[in-house]
Amino acid sequence: MLRACSTASQPVSGTQGTSDMAEGLLGLGILPEKRELLSMGKGALRSVGLLDEARSLYDSLFNESYDTVQLSNLPQAQTAAALVGKDKRVDPTFIIDQIIKPMSYHESKGTFNPNIIQTGTSGNPNMGRGLLQFEKNRFHAAKVRARRFLKNKKIEQPEWLKNIGDNDIATSLTGDQQMALAIYDLREHPKADVSKVFSGEQDITNFWLENWWQGDKKDKEDRKASFESHLEDYRKKFNVPSLDSVL
């Protein structure tokens, strides 16, 4: 089974934001030839005189165009979005850019790191993992939903979906595959309806809260504010228009 590239220890950065972004890019297999330099800590880089070079590399990565920094090469997610979009009469690009990527950006704490693990849950077998922070039960429910959707459409399952075993976890998939799985999952979710976001009937924040987030109700307002903060950040960083301007 293909696995997402693993990231090394905390890389050097002038700010936490650029550090997280660079880690996310590496986790998705972007610029692998720079992995060693980016993964070195500040002290090690300083000792060998490479700290300034590493910081310059971060700057160049962080200021790349949207298509380079964002996950522009998403064959599995794009296939899933095309199938679900056709089924729900929703533009596939909208599903990717206005639903799945914002959710991934928030769930991965602004990193797009497919290997990220939920903090404060060490030893918890049901901890959230990956771009969408799939907990174990949700991950396997998503597997079942994805297989059911494709079977009903008489479409052969991709190998990565066929190969998900009972003991596998979300980080056994690439970032692209994780996004595709989430798209299929949301299509077969009993309450989720991406067409409501597309039509403007439901905003992406409440779509996420009602169909993805699984926290304690007492934390709902805090989680809502956190999602909206990440959403604004995502749109600004990657020049993604707000829903008001595209609907």
Side-chain angles (χ1 to χ4, degrees), residues 59-74:
D59 288 341
S60 66
L61 282 175
F62 198 66
N63 292 319
E64 289 283 352
S65 68
Y66 169 79
D67 282 338
T68 301
V69 174
Q70 270 295 74
L71 312 179
S72 59
N73 184 25
L74 295 169

Side-chain angles (χ1 to χ4, degrees), residues 35-179:
R35 183 176 293 113
E36 183 176 358
L37 178 61
L38 288 170
S39 65
M40 292 174 66
K42 287 182 181 179
L45 286 164
R46 187 180 290 111
S47 69
V48 294
L50 293 175
L51 184 57
D52 288 341
E53 181 180 344
R55 282 177 170 160
S56 295
L57 179 56
Y58 273 105
D59 288 341
S60 66
L61 282 175
F62 198 66
N63 292 319
E64 289 283 352
S65 68
Y66 169 79
D67 282 338
T68 301
V69 174
Q70 270 295 74
L71 312 179
S72 59
N73 184 25
L74 295 169
Q76 297 301 323
Q78 288 166 350
T79 296
L83 292 170
V84 172
K86 181 179 180 181
D87 204 44
K88 301 296 294 184
R89 298 185 179 182
V90 175
D91 180 357
T93 301
F94 182 94
I95 294 174
I96 297 284
D97 290 345
Q98 299 288 354
I99 297 179
I100 291 301
K101 282 182 178 177
M103 288 173 54
S104 299
Y105 187 77
H106 169 70
E107 292 284 359
S108 66
K109 298 183 178 179
T111 68
F112 284 121
N113 181 353
N115 298 311
I116 195 168
I117 298 175
Q118 185 178 0
T119 58
T121 57
S122 178
N124 180 354
N126 202 34
M127 68 178 70
R129 297 174 184 268
L131 283 174
L132 280 301
Q133 290 294 280
F134 279 104
E135 295 180 353
K136 185 176 181 180
N137 293 339
R138 182 63 180 266
F139 178 67
H140 287 284
K143 172 190 69 177
V144 171
R145 289 171 175 168
R147 290 173 176 174
R148 181 175 66 214
F149 172 78
L150 293 173
K151 181 179 180 180
N152 289 342
K153 295 295 180 184
K154 296 180 171 54
I155 297 171
E156 185 176 358
Q157 296 176 37
E159 289 300 315
W160 62 267
L161 182 56
K162 288 181 182 178
N163 292 336
I164 297 176
D166 291 342
N167 295 320
D168 282 335
I169 54 179
T171 49
S172 65
L173 303 180
T174 66
D176 177 25
Q177 293 162 357
Q178 290 175 34
M179 285 186 171

Side-chain angles (χ1 to χ4, degrees), residues 8-29:
S9 58
Q10 183 65 36
V12 64
S13 171
T15 67
Q16 183 65 32
T18 51
S19 173
D20 287 344
M21 179 59 69
E23 184 177 348
L25 291 171
L26 290 171
L28 291 164

Side-chain angles (χ1 to χ4, degrees), residues 234-247:
Y234 161 77
R235 287 172 174 165
K236 286 181 178 178
K237 281 183 178 178
F238 304 114
N239 299 315
V240 178
S242 67
L243 291 182
D244 289 341
S245 64
V246 298
L247 295 177

Side-chain angles (χ1 to χ4, degrees), residues 107 118 135 208-209 212-220 223:
E107 292 284 359
Q118 185 178 0
E135 295 180 353
W208 169 79
L209 278 171
W212 198 265
W213 180 67
Q214 296 178 297
D216 194 311
K217 289 184 178 180
K218 68 180 177 60
D219 298 324
K220 185 174 181 178
R223 294 301 89 211

